[in-house]
Amino acid sequence: MSCCLFISSYSTIFITSRVPCSSTFLLLERRKKKMAEELPFAPSKLYPRSDEEIATFKALKKERSGKCFVYIFAGVVGLSIIVLVFALIVLRVKIPDVKLRSITVENLKYEGNPQSPSLNATFVAEVTTKNTNFGGFKFDNSTLSMLYGGVNIGDRKIGHGWVKARGTQGMNFTVEVRSNRIMDAKNLSREIEGGMVKLSSYARLSGRVNLMNIVRERKMTEMNCTMTLDLANSAFQDLLCY
C-alpha cells in the first residue's frame, strides 16, 4: 500500500514537472505562427514557383537578351559610321592648291621696232600654296616660268618647302624676263605698239602628303595663270589663275 502511494506520488510529481515544458513548446509554436502571419511572402524554398512565374521569368530573360543584342548591334553600326566618316574626311588626300596671288613690275624696258621688238623686265611674283589636308605637304624643287605665246621668256627656281596641315604658305620670287627667245616678232611688236602685252605663268609642285603617319601619298599640283601687262602704267591687269 505504501509502495503504491509512493508510485502514485512520483507520477504526480513527474506529470507536474512536465507541464511547464509543454507550455513553453506551445508558446514557441504560437510565436512561429504569428511570425509566419506577419511575413506575407514566404521564401521560395518553402513555396516553389508556379509554372506561370517560371514562364514570366524566361520571357523577361529572353527580352533582356534581345535588348542586349540590339544595343551591341547599334554600337557596332555607330562605330562603323564614325570610322567611315573619319576615313572619308580626315584620311582623304586632297591636291594642294598653288596660285599666283599677285605680280608687280620693278624694272621695265621695251621697244616696239617691227624688225626686232624687245621686252626686258623684272617682275616680283607672290605665289601661295594652300594645303587643305589634315597632314603636312612637303614639296620638292620646282620652277616658276613666265611665258609669252607658250615660249619661256623667264623662270625662277622654287626650292623645296613644307606647308603645314590646313595651312597656307606664301613665297615671293623675282623673275627676270627677256624677249630674245621669242620667234614671233610681229605679234610682239603689235602688242608693244598697242601698249598691252599678254603673258602667262606656269609652275608645278610635286610632293608628298603625310596624314598622321597613317597615309602617305604623293601629289602633284599645277599653276596656270594669265595676265596682261600694261606698258604705260607698268602694272598687270586681268590676273586669272586656273
Side-chain angles (χ1 to χ4, degrees):
M1 182 71 178
S2 59
C3 183
C4 292
L5 288 172
F6 175 77
I7 293 171
S8 177
S9 300
Y10 179 78
S11 300
T12 303
I13 292 170
F14 176 77
I15 293 170
T16 305
S17 63
R18 295 282 294 177
V19 169
C21 294
S22 300
S23 299
T24 302
F25 177 77
L26 291 174
L27 181 61
L28 292 174
E29 288 294 327
R30 288 175 182 175
R31 287 182 178 179
K32 288 182 179 180
K33 185 176 180 181
K34 185 177 180 181
M35 291 175 65
E37 291 175 353
E38 290 178 353
L39 298 174
F41 299 101
S44 59
K45 64 179 181 180
L46 298 178
Y47 298 94
R49 293 180 178 178
S50 63
D51 294 340
E52 184 178 354
E53 290 176 338
I54 294 174
T56 303
F57 176 76
K58 290 183 177 180
L60 289 174
K61 187 176 181 181
K62 185 177 181 181
E63 182 179 356
R64 289 176 181 175
S65 300
K67 288 183 178 179
C68 184
F69 174 77
V70 171
Y71 294 152
I72 294 175
F73 179 76
V76 172
V77 172
L79 183 61
S80 301
I81 293 175
I82 293 174
V83 172
L84 181 60
V85 172
F86 180 80
L88 291 177
I89 297 178
V90 179
L91 297 182
R92 182 183 177 185
V93 180
K94 304 172 185 176
I95 300 175
D97 185 25
V98 57
K99 286 185 177 181
L100 179 62
R101 183 63 59 184
S102 65
I103 184 168
T104 58
V105 180
E106 279 197 349
N107 297 313
L108 177 62
K109 295 180 180 180
Y110 59 90
E111 185 177 349
N113 188 343
Q115 301 299 324
S116 58
S118 64
L119 176 65
N120 300 322
T122 301
F123 301 147
V124 178
E126 180 187 2
V127 179
T128 59
T129 304
K130 184 177 181 181
N131 179 24
T132 58
N133 292 289
F134 286 89
F137 173 60
K138 184 177 181 181
F139 56 88
D140 304 325
N141 296 329
S142 184
T143 303
L144 171 66
S145 301
M146 296 297 299
L147 309 172
Y148 175 82
V151 179
N152 186 355
I153 59 174
D155 51 36
R156 172 65 187 268
K157 296 292 183 181
I158 301 176
H160 64 85
W162 181 79
V163 185
K164 65 180 182 179
R166 303 187 67 80
T168 302
Q169 179 178 332
M171 300 171 286
N172 292 326
F173 303 101
T174 301
V175 185
E176 300 288 338
V177 173
R178 299 290 182 268
S179 61
N180 53 2
R181 299 179 184 177
I182 300 175
M183 304 301 296
D184 189 3
K186 292 182 179 181
N187 188 61
L188 177 61
S189 177
R190 286 195 299 267
E191 290 190 355
I192 291 176
E193 290 178 357
M196 295 290 181
V197 179
K198 294 182 179 180
L199 301 174
S200 61
S201 63
Y202 174 80
R204 180 175 65 181
L205 295 181
S206 178
R208 187 180 300 275
V209 177
N210 185 352
L211 298 179
M212 304 178 182
N213 292 325
I214 299 176
V215 177
R216 295 182 179 89
E217 189 172 333
R218 194 163 191 85
K219 289 294 182 179
M220 187 267 294
T221 178
E222 293 181 315
M223 178 193 76
N224 286 284
C225 300
T226 59
M227 66 209 76
T228 302
L229 174 60
D230 184 354
L231 299 177
N233 296 316
S234 298
F236 282 96
Q237 300 178 358
D238 303 327
L239 176 62
L240 178 63
C241 294
Y242 53 93

